[in-house]
Amino acid sequence: MLNKRFRVICIDDLITGSLKNLAHIDSEDFKFINHDITEYIKIDEKVDYIFHFASPASPIDYLQLPIQTLKVGALGTHNVLGLAKAKRAIMILASTSEVYGDPKVHPQPEEYWGNVNPVGPRGVYDEAKRYAEAITMAYHRQQGVNTRIVRIFNTYGPRMRKNDGRAIPAFITQALKGKDITVFGDGSQTRSFCYISDMVDGIFRLAQTNYHLPLNIGNPTEMSILELAKKIKSITGSSSKIVFHDLPVDDPTVRRPDTTKAKKILSWQPRVSFEEGMNKTIKWFKENINGEN
Ligand code: UDP
């Protein structure tokens, strides 16, 4: 956004984030506010777009922060919608493929309602995001707020935390350190990984449209988690052993976005191959392997 000459105000309470990720930004058009958006959000200036991405998003984070995860999806989204209404801003909600739960329809189109366990450990994230979608549509329909909903599928790239717990940062860190690569279950569960620049491009395009219903953005190239572990081991040239741990409760068995709508509405499709995205990500992890997190 900064390189498109927007002024950017970033609000984060740093519950899972780090100021280090902003260290490279040197611009008078950028302002950081340390604030928890479950409390009233006060912005004195004009706002055109609000990208509501606040939430723990890694399974280990939302398992450790279940109440915060529910509160930011519910109270936080409510505050953001109130701000969008007051400022007549466009509000873009970051939703998730987790709204589909452990899907019984594959790949997942936006019309699929999902298969979510509301009281399982992942339910705090899944239901918070489902509620966030519901309240976003309600503000759009009843109050005329100009909203968008992006359902983000698994995304990766530089600056993920090494101890974030998600498969890609976990496997890369383990491979680079020569530690065991921890595959959960038998590794036959699948995911489809999108490189960050493709995701940002899709979301920015969505912000420019007038499309209010949920839209999937993700890379449809699907692979099993065991395949992912083997690929990372091979690209890093690691001698790490692949070991098998228990599968987390309600871990989805398959996941792949149906991106027909994104292609049609946004003229968008992912351009970065798995190999290219992975090489860039591994390069960053190599350069930062000894820092904190
Ligand atoms: N996973 C794994 N080992 C790890 C971390 C994750 O096998 O060290 C598995 C996890 O059980 C899931 C998949 O990798 O099946 C993707 O997990 P991630 O946490 O990246 O995101 P999810 O798609 O589950 O939200």
Side-chain angles (χ1 to χ4, degrees):
M1 297 297 279
L2 283 169
N3 63 12
K4 292 187 163 58
R5 298 303 304 151
F6 284 96
R7 179 169 152 71
V8 176
I9 303 171
C10 169
I11 305 178
D12 196 330
D13 69 348
L14 301 174
I15 193 171
T16 59
S18 163
L19 283 180
K20 261 181 39 184
N21 292 331
L22 304 177
H24 63 290
I25 299 175
D26 178 20
S27 166
E28 287 185 352
D29 290 328
F30 183 81
K31 180 165 139 190
F32 176 76
I33 301 174
N34 190 329
H35 178 69
D36 171 358
I37 61 149
T38 64
E39 306 288 340
Y40 185 83
I41 309 164
K42 190 170 174 329
I43 305 279
D44 291 326
E45 49 199 293
K46 184 170 163 274
V47 177
D48 299 312
Y49 294 91
I50 304 172
F51 292 86
H52 172 27
F53 281 61
S55 177
S58 157
I60 58 165
D61 286 338
Y62 52 74
L63 295 186
Q64 277 163 14
L65 303 164
I67 314 277
Q68 289 91 333
T69 302
L70 283 158
K71 281 179 71 179
V72 75
L75 308 177
T77 305
H78 188 206
N79 285 336
V80 170
L81 285 161
L83 179 68
K85 188 177 150 191
K87 300 284 181 186
R88 297 184 194 280
I90 296 171
M91 187 282 220
I92 300 101
L93 170 71
S95 185
T96 168
S97 51
E98 281 283 330
V99 301
Y100 301 120
D102 188 6
K104 301 286 177 223
V105 172
H106 191 64
Q108 293 79 55
E110 289 85 350
E111 291 77 19
Y112 178 49
W113 292 351
N115 176 39
V116 170
N117 173 3
V119 294
R122 295 175 88 102
V124 295
Y125 183 64
D126 304 10
E127 296 295 5
K129 289 292 188 182
R130 288 167 69 98
Y131 174 89
E133 288 196 2
I135 193 171
T136 298
M137 287 310 297
Y139 266 76
H140 172 65
R141 292 193 175 116
Q142 197 213 52
Q143 309 268 331
V145 177
N146 198 349
T147 56
R148 315 277 184 276
I149 299 173
V150 52
R151 289 189 179 148
I152 298 174
F153 281 66
N154 293 65
T155 301
Y156 70 100
R159 296 203 189 96
M160 291 179 91
R161 285 174 301 154
K162 291 195 283 290
N163 61 358
D164 149 308
R166 279 180 277 199
I168 289 185
F171 292 172
I172 294 177
T173 308
Q174 291 161 345
L176 292 179
K177 292 196 165 173
K179 292 188 175 160
D180 289 350
I181 298 179
T182 54
V183 168
F184 298 162
D186 62 5
S188 62
Q189 70 275 28
T190 69
R191 294 293 186 273
S192 311
F193 297 100
C194 184
Y195 188 66
I196 183 66
S197 59
D198 282 331
M199 180 58 62
V200 169
D201 177 36
I203 293 168
F204 192 70
R205 282 171 193 245
L206 175 61
Q208 319 295 303
T209 67
N210 212 13
Y211 190 75
H212 303 291
L213 292 170
L215 192 74
N216 290 340
I217 306 231
N219 188 320
T221 311
E222 184 181 6
M223 68 186 78
S224 76
I225 293 302
L226 182 55
E227 255 179 282
L228 172 73
K230 286 181 179 164
K231 283 185 190 207
I232 290 178
K233 181 170 145 78
S234 144
I235 300 173
T236 52
S238 170
S239 53
S240 289
K241 224 169 57 196
I242 294 179
V243 298
F244 296 89
H245 288 188
D246 289 346
L247 190 66
V249 177
D250 297 335
D251 198 288
T253 42
V254 289
R255 181 181 291 158
R256 168 156 55 107
D258 179 332
T259 54
T260 314
K261 280 207 173 59
K263 272 190 195 138
K264 207 169 134 204
I265 295 167
L266 310 179
S267 308
W268 171 90
Q269 57 180 4
R271 285 182 304 210
V272 181
S273 69
F274 180 79
E275 283 66 30
E276 188 188 343
M278 202 36 88
N279 280 325
K280 286 186 176 160
T281 308
I282 290 171
K283 180 171 178 290
W284 185 88
F285 272 83
K286 271 187 186 159
E287 289 163 4
N288 292 276
I289 195 84
N290 292 318
E292 62 195 52
N293 281 327

